[in-house]
Amino acid sequence: MDVDRLRVLLNQKQIADKVAELGAHITLDFAGESVVLIGVLKGATIFLADLARQIKLDATFDFIAVSSYGNSREQSGEVKLLKDVDHPMEGKNIILVEDILDTGLTLTYLKNQMMGHKPKSLKIAALLDKPSRRRQPIRGDYVGFEIPDEFVVGYGLDFAERFRNLPEICVLETDGNSS
Ligand code: IMP
Ligand code: MG
């Protein structure tokens, strides 16, 4: 049987400091304007909740859902929209809020999808980035941490829906997969 082991990669203070930095950056970039934070369910919810409180602007929330990895760690290559935004986005400053940029397939799909709503601007905020895994040439506008190619959980990120409630971001080491 697999034994899960968690190794802390980013602690609560490191995350909080970085989220405050990203919020301050967004606040400056959109001074005098309103923004819509669009969270990608479910992984981005905790990041969005913390980031939103560091953005000192007129802000609203919306959420979208896409098909996920299921219980596997690998991206199937196919992204499907399961839930669209609830409100019209035409003329809005959209910030897509995502937990992690991995292959880039999800955000490439969502970016194209959201452009169809004719926003005024469209930016990407991702707490984590695994640039070495990229299969689509996409980059985040507000990126928290670049991390190595390891599977991480916590602070919203899951493995088979578990571990989202961990306050830290941890590498999930499974027997046979650890050094
Ligand atoms: P992408 O389409 O490959 O960029 O994948 C993005 C999505 O994959 C994220 O929203 C996460 O749900 C999931 N994902 C990618 N890497 C990890 C990881 O290390 N841990 C947990 N989920 C991940
Ligand atoms: Mg996700």
Side-chain angles (χ1 to χ4, degrees), residues 36-52 59-66 81-89 94-99 110 113-114 117:
V36 186
L37 303 177
I38 302 184
V40 185
L41 293 171
K42 305 168 200 159
T45 50
I46 293 179
F47 175 42
L48 186 145
D50 284 346
L51 179 65
T60 55
F61 297 171
D62 214 319
F63 293 94
I64 47 186
V66 290
L81 191 70
L82 302 179
K83 181 208 169 296
D84 204 348
V85 287
D86 295 330
H87 305 282
M89 291 296 151
I94 292 178
I95 302 176
L96 272 172
V97 181
E98 187 40 320
D99 48 9
L110 286 177
Q113 178 75 23
M114 293 316 305
H117 288 265

Side-chain angles (χ1 to χ4, degrees), residues 18-90:
K18 186 62 78 175
V19 171
E21 216 178 90
L22 295 177
H25 197 162
I26 291 170
T27 303
L28 271 179
D29 285 358
F30 289 92
E33 307 225 18
S34 305
V35 295
V36 186
L37 303 177
I38 302 184
V40 185
L41 293 171
K42 305 168 200 159
T45 50
I46 293 179
F47 175 42
L48 186 145
D50 284 346
L51 179 65
R53 285 175 285 181
Q54 300 294 335
I55 295 176
K56 313 299 177 193
L57 298 170
D58 180 40
T60 55
F61 297 171
D62 214 319
F63 293 94
I64 47 186
V66 290
S67 51
S68 72
Y69 287 24
N71 288 355
S72 131
R73 293 171 184 227
E74 280 309 311
Q75 169 63 280
S76 65
E78 203 185 305
V79 184
K80 261 199 328 216
L81 191 70
L82 302 179
K83 181 208 169 296
D84 204 348
V85 287
D86 295 330
H87 305 282
M89 291 296 151
E90 190 167 344

Side-chain angles (χ1 to χ4, degrees), residues 2-6 73 159 162-163 172-175:
D2 282 351
V3 177
D4 295 327
R5 274 201 302 263
L6 299 168
R73 293 171 184 227
F159 175 60
R162 294 175 61 208
F163 308 115
L172 179 66
E173 294 173 332
T174 307
D175 260 7

Side-chain angles (χ1 to χ4, degrees), residues 94-123:
I94 292 178
I95 302 176
L96 272 172
V97 181
E98 187 40 320
D99 48 9
I100 186 166
L101 247 171
D102 187 31
T103 63
L105 293 169
T106 305
L107 277 168
T108 300
Y109 171 85
L110 286 177
K111 208 173 165 180
N112 291 333
Q113 178 75 23
M114 293 316 305
M115 286 313 288
H117 288 265
K118 300 194 169 59
K120 178 177 178 186
S121 65
L122 178 54
K123 301 284 183 195

